[in-house]
Amino acid sequence: MDRTNWSAVAAELDLYGSAPTERLLTPAQCRELAALYEKPELFRTTVDMARHRFGSGEYRYFTHDLPAPVAALRAALYPRLLPIARDWAARLDRQAPWPDSLEEWLERCHRAGQDRSAQILLRYGQGDWNALHRDVFGELVFPLQVVIGLDEYGTDYTGGEFLMVEQRPRAQSRGTATPLRQGHGLVFTTRDRPVRTKRGWSAGAMRHGVSTVRSGRRHALGLVFHDAA
């Protein structure tokens, strides 16, 4: 975590709505996490994306009994993302309900009826993709989340870039495509980001997805900082 320049992450999030971190997991840790997909007892549900017309592929939601590396990553990332979240809220003249403690924030989510784990392990094979979407899950939302690549881009799989599309008012949408580097995180906006206009700051709506995997198999760990209703 300390190797990442979080000021640079904040600046890039302002520009694009997403920003990479330094390496958070070793290749061995990535392989161990990807292998957890074969242990259904660790997950509360499995989602077939084609069935729900979300795209093609699968993902699984962990139970609240998170594997130690997943819990540690989430706990370590929250305090580093919190100043960015509060700054965005101030610019957009929104409330910033997020306390200093992740545990306290999750307790608030649970009291509001958002008591299901939203941490996910995703698996895509050749031809799979994920439609553009937002991960809101309820009234209480943390504005940033993180995805970590668990396979080696270009070796274990090709295609499957992380996509972000910005819906610009009175203009064509703008998109970015980012390969996920193994063990590195990508911080991105949950639903929008502050955009400066002639009248001040406004919320630039954004969605994210995954481009079609051309070959191989792609695993990723998704870390969300609010729980689901």
Side-chain angles (χ1 to χ4, degrees), residues 37 43-62 116-124 128-130 133 135 137:
Y37 203 89
F43 304 93
R44 65 174 177 84
T45 191
T46 299
V47 176
D48 180 339
M49 287 190 276
R51 177 183 176 188
H52 297 280
R53 303 186 71 180
F54 295 162
S56 177
E58 274 190 0
Y59 57 86
R60 287 180 163 173
Y61 286 105
F62 284 101
R116 296 190 298 166
S117 172
Q119 314 316 301
I120 59 177
L121 192 59
L122 304 104
R123 171 183 282 180
Y124 300 85
D128 289 341
W129 56 284
N130 196 345
H133 65 284
D135 298 319
F137 299 141

Side-chain angles (χ1 to χ4, degrees), residues 25-48:
L25 296 169
T26 67
Q29 290 171 321
C30 289
R31 290 190 292 271
E32 289 171 3
L33 283 172
L36 296 182
Y37 203 89
E38 303 298 340
K39 297 183 177 182
E41 66 273 14
L42 298 178
F43 304 93
R44 65 174 177 84
T45 191
T46 299
V47 176
D48 180 339

Side-chain angles (χ1 to χ4, degrees), residues 45-179:
T45 191
T46 299
V47 176
D48 180 339
M49 287 190 276
R51 177 183 176 188
H52 297 280
R53 303 186 71 180
F54 295 162
S56 177
E58 274 190 0
Y59 57 86
R60 287 180 163 173
Y61 286 105
F62 284 101
T63 68
H64 281 301
D65 188 17
L66 296 172
V70 178
L73 283 165
R74 196 183 188 205
L77 284 162
Y78 179 81
R80 289 164 171 85
L81 300 179
L82 185 59
I84 303 172
R86 288 172 172 169
D87 175 59
W88 280 15
R91 280 190 264 170
L92 293 172
D93 195 25
R94 291 175 174 172
Q95 292 185 337
W98 315 290
D100 293 341
S101 164
L102 175 61
E103 291 75 15
E104 184 180 347
W105 169 239
L106 294 177
E107 287 175 6
R108 292 186 189 181
C109 289
H110 294 178
R111 290 197 298 269
Q114 294 177 214
D115 56 2
R116 296 190 298 166
S117 172
Q119 314 316 301
I120 59 177
L121 192 59
L122 304 104
R123 171 183 282 180
Y124 300 85
Q126 184 175 355
D128 289 341
W129 56 284
N130 196 345
L132 296 170
H133 65 284
R134 298 173 180 140
D135 298 319
V136 176
F137 299 141
E139 292 295 322
L140 298 181
V141 177
F142 192 79
L144 298 164
Q145 54 198 96
V146 180
V147 61
I148 301 174
L150 300 180
D151 298 302
E152 188 173 353
Y153 177 79
T155 301
D156 296 322
Y157 70 97
T158 61
E161 294 84 5
F162 184 88
L163 303 175
M164 291 218 74
V165 173
E166 175 187 0
Q167 298 172 247
R168 300 187 297 163
R170 298 178 299 280
Q172 298 286 351
S173 296
R174 180 179 70 166
T176 59
T178 306

